[in-house]
Amino acid sequence: MGYKASFKVWRGDDKDGGLHDFLVEVNEGEVVLDIIHRLQATQAPDLAVRWNCKAGKCGSCSAEINGRPRLLCMTRMSTFTEDETITVTPMRTFPVIKDLVTDVSFNYQKAREIPSFAPPPGVQPGDYRMQQVDVERSQEFRKCIECFLCQNTCHVVRDHEENKQNFAGPRFLMRVAELEMHPLDAEDRVSAAQEAHGLGMCNITKCCTEVCPEHIKITDNALIPLKERVADRKYDPLFAVASLFRRKR
Amino acid sequence: MTEIERHNYDVVVIGAGGAGLRAAIEAREQGKRTAIICKSLFGKAHTVMAEGGIAAAMGNVNSGDNWQVHFRDTMRGGKFLNNWRMAELHAKEAPERVWELETYGALFDRTKDGRISQRNFGGHEYPRLAHVGDRTGLELIRTLQQKIVSLQQEDYKATGDYEANIKVFQELTITELVKAGDRIAGAFGYWRESGRFVVFETPAVVLATGGIGKSFKVTSNSWEYTGDGHALALRAGAALINMEFIQFHPTGMVWPPSVKGILVTESVRGDGGVLRNSEGKRFMFEYIPDVFKEKYATTEEEGDRWYTDPDNNRRPPELLPRDEVARSINSEVKAGRGTPHGGVFLDVSTRLPAEEIKRRLPSMHHQFKELADVDITAEPMEVGPTCHYVMGGIEVDPDTGQSAVPGLFAAGECSGGMHGSNRLGGNSLSDLLVFGRRAGLGAAGYVDSLTGPRPLVTEAQVSQASKDALAPFEGSGENPYTIHTELQQVMNDLVGIIRTGEEMKLALKKLDELRQRANHIAVEGHRQFNPGWHLAIDLRNMLWISECVARAALERTESRGGHTRDDFPGMDAGWRSTLLVCTTSDEGIDVRRQDQIPLRADLLDLFEKDELGKYFVSEELSAHRAEGTA
Ligand SMILES: Cc1cc2nc3c(=O)[nH]c(=O)nc-3n(C[C@H](O)[C@H](O)[C@H](O)COP(=O)(O)OP(=O)(O)OC[C@H]3O[C@@H](n4cnc5c(N)ncnc54)[C@H](O)[C@@H]3O)c2cc1C
Ligand code: SF4
Ligand code: SF4
Ligand code: FES
């Protein structure tokens, strides 16, 4: 049943800020986002937090709970003991706007740098034919809710501002893989992955996979296969010619 | 005073859900400089939460399907109160809109022969819903989002600027539409992040702001659903129709309390899930209404056979339209046959193998496991009705999406008419695409038709709008959260799933009191990302719209679709041809009656006269083919 929990919530803006202590009621079945909402309603009406669906579907409520990147709406209070102090801080890799809200525009920039789906020439709408087994690979990546927790976690950009320019991050490298594996996409994406989007900087630590709330196997199913395609091409001088004739799988 | 940020566009689309994005794509493809504005981040609109699928009569799974069958199902679902022209356009154009998504890169689940797979859903005669597991809305919104990015990439190649012709203004709330004379001149709003004001000058606004569910306590809707577009249109002089019709989805989560209302997709039932009361009985067999008697199985055996042999069996009553199922669940719980937490059981675990459940319903599996400690492959869920969708909305011209105000267009959930008194599952996502595109075209056409200088937004209008927006900082009364909670309780208890005249009169009195109190709301802090202030502004819209709902519901003395009166339990054919229309005047909100345009003869002929006789008064049927020859 109900008890009072100790919370430390980071409050502040782009200039300064720090952890604030709160003692707040917790009821059965609640998630951390419920507690943040209770703080807004009772103690801190201007506490800033993003959320929409409250069901792990929209990817708005990303933050760090006791230092771990998580969705606030999918972190149940029952995973903590009653005497544990729970610390909630904004995602670290992105600039803070206010309290738990960060500036995630980096991700929208990266999204724009990935060339879009290229429809197969000559195939009319309604005539697309694909087998379930062939779409499933890309479908796994399209489960992504763009919470950007993987982007926040990847050590290539976490605490390395200087790498942001040349590295698309796991979410958008996965987007390249998704299009590359799309049965009907008409574009070749392999060399750009390496050169323009920074696939080479990924050293397959799998930290991105660990935090993904959608349990997408980002590293194993997207990044490593993409790296393999890059490698194939590098060591095969005939590939450039062959690929002109190759039909996409 | 500091300079206010100003932008100039040909078309401004308010809303970045399915309807808004599709409208914006169309306006941009018609060569119009287009802005998209949304309260959340780009890609997070409510559409992302849609689960089950998008209805389109492609006939991929059952070749018997076509637009006429879809049209009939839609009209039946809406109890023939639908705007038939909208239902016709929707049924005809939905397949093209779905196929078009594939050309934008969407990846739907497939049939064996490689086409888009389609699933069963309540009220749809054939398997009709294109889907991606149970995350169809995510696919839809991401696909449209990525299409917009691809248009921006084209513009970048041509001009060096991604945002030359289409730009997304995210986390920006519009608080006021501005008119010059009788037509649209622009829109006024604030950046949520900084609290700074912005003015958009534009001759054409497309409203695509979604629904109103946040006025109710138990709802599947997010914080964004505060009826902003409804209220903006109303204040700008447009009319709202059908506001009494609210869809309570039969299956929301009921436990634990913090997730009460969160949706359990209808696909659970479409894929074989059954409803049982605490006595273990499949109670829906008791609740098949007369108008649907011929279409639904009367025994469990027949219902079960239907999943594998739909041509020779009738469908199980779990798949009745939502209003019927929601009311039945409500009755079972009231009669004391509910579950420990006040719902009924929804069980798919005894119907499908665990692996199959995980494949077909992955996000439901995840949702119950993470939020309720329930493994749906091994045990039943507890479910009950939740406020889900508003059928009512801005009255528009079906073909162009234009409202009564020149330059003001609307599409998606904030528009009204298409779904009549009750929406079928899957018909919203298709509605967004069909009418989003049409509103985009309509707005572009309107801009082309204008001659002379564009209408201007005056300084006086801007300073008035700023003053209104800042008023909550001057207040000395209560905090907005308190008033919001009370509003939700009032709407839930008094204007909810089952209504009576007395209760709604009481609701109107309470709404009036809440409005007085809301005038004195006090918010703390400053303008930068301040949720208290944001809620104070949204609350005004919720109060307007709640009053429309309550007034219209009091006026309609019958029960139909998403409007159930305990004191007038029957459907009254006399009311079928009457719409209730809300507008504002100096006295407040007016509700008046308006005749429906009679159903076009060739569409009337798509039904048998016997069936129509259950809904229409006999004079209305004189144009039916069965009359002509006699
Ligand atoms: C859980 C759930 C499941 C569903 N499943 C299905 C399904 O399977 N099939 C189906 O057909 N339908 C389904 N629906 C219904 C359907 O998802 C919605 O009706 C539909 O997505 C609404 O889309 P829209 O484009 O009208 O608005 P939304 O997608 O809600 O977008 C509204 C937009 O308007 C913006 N906005 C609102 N007010 C303002 C303002 N003042 N200023 C600026 N921007 C503003 C918001 O930020 C948002 O971007 C479901 C609904 C829910 C809640
Ligand atoms: S696997 Fe690659 S992308 Fe993922 S966290 Fe490690 S380095 Fe980053
Ligand atoms: S891949 Fe996973 S962690 Fe990364 S943005 Fe998508 S959902 Fe979030
Ligand atoms: S609120 Fe949508 S993922 Fe948490």
Side-chain angles (χ1 to χ4, degrees):
Chain A
M1 277 316 285
Y3 70 98
K4 295 257 181 196
S6 306
F7 265 72
K8 284 185 188 297
V9 180
W10 195 92
R11 299 209 61 188
D13 54 25
D14 55 347
K15 288 170 216 76
D16 66 331
L19 291 171
H20 289 227
D21 288 310
F22 296 97
L23 199 61
V24 50
E25 186 186 319
V26 176
N27 301 311
E28 191 181 348
E30 287 183 330
V31 294
V32 175
L33 185 61
D34 290 313
I35 310 306
I36 300 291
H37 283 158
R38 183 162 300 125
L39 288 176
Q40 283 181 337
T42 56
Q43 306 182 37
D46 60 344
L47 172 61
V49 62
R50 281 197 184 101
W51 68 285
N52 277 56
C53 66
K54 211 171 167 291
K57 291 184 168 53
C58 72
S60 303
C61 63
S62 310
E64 301 191 2
I65 303 174
N66 295 343
R68 302 182 63 106
R70 307 217 35 150
L71 296 178
L72 296 173
C73 73
M74 295 304 276
T75 306
R76 299 187 67 187
M77 287 302 295
S78 59
T79 56
F80 308 104
T81 57
E82 294 194 4
D83 50 15
E84 203 170 340
T85 299
I86 298 159
T87 306
V88 187
T89 49
M91 285 194 282
R92 193 165 88 197
T93 304
F94 310 117
V96 167
I97 292 173
K98 186 182 168 210
D99 305 338
L100 301 175
V101 173
T102 57
D103 175 358
V104 291
S105 55
F106 165 74
N107 300 288
Y108 289 93
Q109 273 159 26
K110 292 296 161 186
R112 272 186 192 162
E113 291 166 9
I114 313 289
S116 298
F117 172 67
V123 185
Q124 294 308 308
D127 291 346
Y128 283 46
R129 294 291 177 274
M130 295 175 259
Q131 290 304 314
Q132 183 64 35
V133 286
D134 297 329
V135 298
E136 253 158 29
R137 291 183 299 179
S138 297
Q139 277 184 332
E140 180 191 4
F141 310 143
R142 291 182 72 83
K143 284 193 330 205
C144 169
I145 57 174
E146 299 206 329
C147 65
F148 308 132
L149 286 172
C150 58
Q151 305 282 90
N152 173 51
T153 306
C154 175
H155 64 92
V156 177
V157 282
R158 194 170 169 103
D159 302 325
H160 288 282
E161 200 58 36
E162 69 282 6
N163 287 339
K164 282 188 176 168
Q165 179 76 18
N166 301 317
F167 185 63
R171 194 279 170 257
F172 295 103
L173 287 168
M174 178 177 88
R175 167 77 170 141
V176 177
E178 173 213 315
L179 290 165
E180 178 61 24
M181 295 180 197
H182 188 301
L184 293 177
D185 178 66
E187 198 157 306
D188 176 11
R189 299 165 185 280
V190 173
S191 51
Q194 188 76 357
E195 284 144 30
H197 310 308
L199 180 64
M201 294 162 99
C202 160
N203 52 357
I204 56 173
T205 55
K206 302 199 188 183
C207 317
C208 51
T209 306
E210 268 166 41
V211 297
C212 176
E214 285 292 305
H215 307 300
I216 302 170
K217 297 212 164 54
I218 308 170
T219 323
D220 286 351
N221 292 353
L223 306 182
I224 293 176
L226 205 54
K227 278 176 175 281
E228 283 168 357
R229 290 188 189 197
V230 172
D232 278 356
R233 215 168 280 193
K234 272 211 183 127
Y235 298 122
D236 183 358
L238 285 177
F239 195 89
V241 185
S243 69
L244 286 175
F245 302 100
R246 185 184 66 131
R247 277 199 41 87
K248 270 227 166 153
R249 271 169 298 160
Chain B
M1 242 181 110
T2 51
E3 192 73 6
I4 287 184
E5 179 180 341
R6 274 178 191 261
H7 298 278
N8 216 297
Y9 282 91
D10 296 326
V11 175
V12 168
V13 178
I14 306 176
L21 297 183
R22 189 61 190 83
I25 290 168
E26 198 61 26
R28 154 67 178 72
E29 290 197 329
Q30 297 297 317
K32 300 290 169 270
R33 274 192 78 237
T34 304
I36 302 170
I37 303 173
C38 50
K39 293 205 278 191
S40 295
L41 293 172
F42 188 29
K44 309 292 182 203
H46 219 273
T47 300
V48 80
M49 293 157 69
E51 293 162 356
I54 170 165
M58 297 181 285
N60 291 351
V61 172
N62 188 320
S63 59
D65 205 9
N66 55 41
W67 78 262
Q68 288 94 339
V69 187
H70 193 181
F71 172 80
R72 281 199 293 261
D73 288 345
T74 301
M75 295 296 290
R76 283 180 190 128
K79 302 269 170 21
F80 287 84
L81 193 102
N82 318 55
N83 178 306
W84 50 263
R85 175 64 179 161
M86 291 175 103
E88 178 194 13
L89 290 171
H90 169 258
K92 283 183 173 161
E93 294 177 4
E96 283 163 52
R97 296 286 80 76
V98 172
W99 287 323
E100 182 176 76
L101 292 179
E102 290 197 304
T103 71
Y104 300 170
L107 284 174
F108 291 101
D109 289 346
R110 317 306 296 181
T111 60
K112 288 220 163 52
D113 62 353
R115 294 165 204 262
I116 297 174
S117 173
Q118 299 186 268
R119 68 157 47 115
N120 283 304
F121 236 57
H124 292 280
E125 177 149 357
Y126 295 116
R128 189 176 285 146
L129 270 66
H131 55 90
V132 187
D134 51 6
R135 56 161 191 89
T136 313
L138 172 64
E139 186 69 14
L140 187 95
I141 204 156
R142 200 66 80 231
T143 300
L144 294 172
Q145 180 183 351
Q146 288 166 346
K147 174 66 183 177
I148 284 171
V149 168
S150 89
L151 291 170
Q152 291 180 324
Q153 290 170 342
E154 274 175 29
D155 291 341
Y156 180 74
K157 277 208 188 96
T159 68
D161 177 5
Y162 283 110
E163 296 175 334
N165 293 314
I166 185 164
K167 176 166 172 159
V168 181
F169 294 80
Q170 57 183 358
E171 301 198 309
L172 196 161
T173 303
I174 295 297
T175 60
E176 214 64 67
L177 297 177
V178 184
K179 291 204 300 186
D182 67 342
R183 55 192 180 127
I184 289 294
F188 174 93
Y190 64 91
W191 287 107
R192 291 167 59 79
E193 181 182 324
S194 61
R196 283 203 311 273
F197 294 132
V198 195
V199 173
F200 291 86
E201 286 185 301
T202 179
V205 166
V206 179
L207 291 170
T209 53
I212 68 166
K214 264 299 158 197
S215 302
F216 290 79
K217 188 171 164 205
V218 180
T219 177
S220 64
N221 295 174
S222 83
W223 67 268
E224 291 200 302
Y225 267 23
T226 52
D228 295 5
H230 289 78
L232 290 168
L234 193 66
R235 291 203 299 266
L240 305 182
I241 55 171
N242 298 350
M243 291 305 291
E244 64 276 34
F245 298 110
I246 309 254
Q247 181 167 81
F248 291 84
H249 194 291
T251 60
M253 291 176 82
V254 295
W255 185 260
S258 72
V259 299
K260 192 163 180 172
I262 290 182
L263 194 76
V264 180
T265 175
E266 188 169 323
S267 332
V268 175
R269 283 170 286 137
D271 287 350
V274 294
L275 292 166
R276 290 204 177 88
N277 61 20
S278 59
E279 295 162 3
K281 183 165 163 193
R282 270 179 80 178
F283 58 87
M284 280 308 299
F285 287 93
E286 311 286 310
Y287 290 95
I288 307 173
D290 280 345
V291 290
F292 291 117
K293 273 268 181 317
E294 285 106 59
K295 299 253 166 212
Y296 287 84
T298 43
T299 64
E300 293 190 23
E301 294 70 33
E302 180 181 0
D304 286 348
R305 283 197 305 269
W306 172 85
Y307 290 102
T308 46
D309 181 11
D311 293 336
N312 297 307
N313 295 286
R314 292 170 299 177
R315 56 186 38 230
E318 275 91 358
L319 292 175
L320 276 160
R322 288 178 177 169
D323 51 331
E324 310 287 354
V325 183
R327 272 193 301 272
S328 313
I329 293 177
N330 203 62
S331 306
E332 284 298 303
V333 175
K334 269 205 171 146
R337 294 186 292 270
T339 63
H341 302 113
V344 295
F345 293 113
L346 170 60
D347 186 17
V348 66
S349 68
T350 54
R351 313 272 302 172
L352 288 177
E355 278 318 304
E356 194 64 15
I357 296 174
K358 281 192 221 159
R359 196 181 68 77
R360 290 205 216 178
L361 303 165
S363 75
M364 280 305 108
H365 181 247
H366 185 68
Q367 179 175 316
F368 271 88
K369 219 168 96 205
E370 304 273 328
L371 295 177
D373 277 330
V374 168
D375 177 0
I376 68 167
T377 66
E379 53 194 317
M381 302 160 241
E382 279 182 75
V383 297
T386 178
C387 177
H388 185 55
Y389 185 89
V390 60
M391 270 67 74
I394 302 155
E395 184 177 37
V396 293
D397 170 55
D399 290 72
T400 62
Q402 182 154 222
S403 72
V405 178
L408 184 61
F409 297 76
E413 190 168 340
C414 72
S415 68
M418 156 73 202
H419 305 286
S421 68
N422 174 48
R423 171 179 75 87
L424 293 184
N427 267 3
S428 171
L429 295 184
S430 41
D431 164 7
L432 307 181
L433 297 175
V434 168
F435 295 104
R437 170 178 161 278
R438 284 187 164 271
L441 266 179
Y446 172 81
V447 173
D448 286 335
S449 75
L450 293 176
T451 51
R454 292 205 167 169
L456 293 177
V457 176
T458 67
E459 282 314 315
Q461 286 170 316
V462 172
S463 67
Q464 183 61 46
S466 318
K467 223 176 101 201
D468 290 346
L470 291 175
F473 286 108
E474 313 291 316
S476 56
E478 298 154 273
N479 95 32
Y481 298 97
T482 314
I483 298 183
H484 184 211
T485 310
E486 283 185 43
L487 169 68
Q488 291 180 316
Q489 198 72 50
V490 168
M491 292 306 284
N492 227 73
D493 295 349
L494 304 176
V495 201
I497 179 164
I498 310 287
R499 302 163 173 174
T500 69
E502 283 316 306
E503 285 182 352
M504 285 187 290
K505 283 182 196 147
L506 181 61
L508 283 167
K509 204 170 129 254
K510 294 202 170 193
L511 288 173
D512 200 44
E513 287 163 18
L514 286 172
R515 193 208 299 279
Q516 314 272 349
R517 284 162 57 192
N519 286 337
H520 307 289
I521 277 180
V523 299
E524 284 176 36
H526 48 80
R527 279 162 69 178
Q528 205 193 14
F529 216 116
N530 183 340
W533 178 42
H534 302 164
L535 179 61
I537 290 177
D538 294 347
L539 195 54
R540 300 176 192 168
N541 295 332
M542 287 189 261
L543 284 162
W544 280 90
I545 297 313
S546 299
E547 186 178 336
C548 288
V549 174
R551 279 198 192 284
L554 182 59
E555 182 81 8
R556 183 174 286 272
T557 47
E558 66 154 352
S559 294
R560 179 185 296 271
H563 170 63
T564 305
R565 289 282 300 254
D566 220 16
D567 43 356
F568 296 94
M571 188 162 70
D572 176 352
W575 266 108
R576 192 210 61 84
S577 55
T578 304
L579 298 182
L580 295 174
V581 183
C582 297
T583 50
T584 52
S585 68
D586 292 342
E587 279 92 76
I589 290 164
D590 295 325
V591 181
R592 72 186 149 77
R593 297 181 184 201
Q594 175 176 304
D595 286 343
Q596 282 262 47
I597 301 168
L599 190 57
R600 207 174 64 216
D602 59 311
L603 297 175
L604 204 60
D605 285 347
L606 292 175
F607 300 89
E608 292 307 320
K609 197 170 169 232
D610 282 353
E611 180 180 9
L612 294 176
K614 297 173 190 163
Y615 298 97
F616 288 67
V617 295
S618 49
E619 301 86 81
E620 291 176 305
L621 299 178
S622 56
H624 193 268
R625 59 186 146 83
E627 294 281 315
T629 49

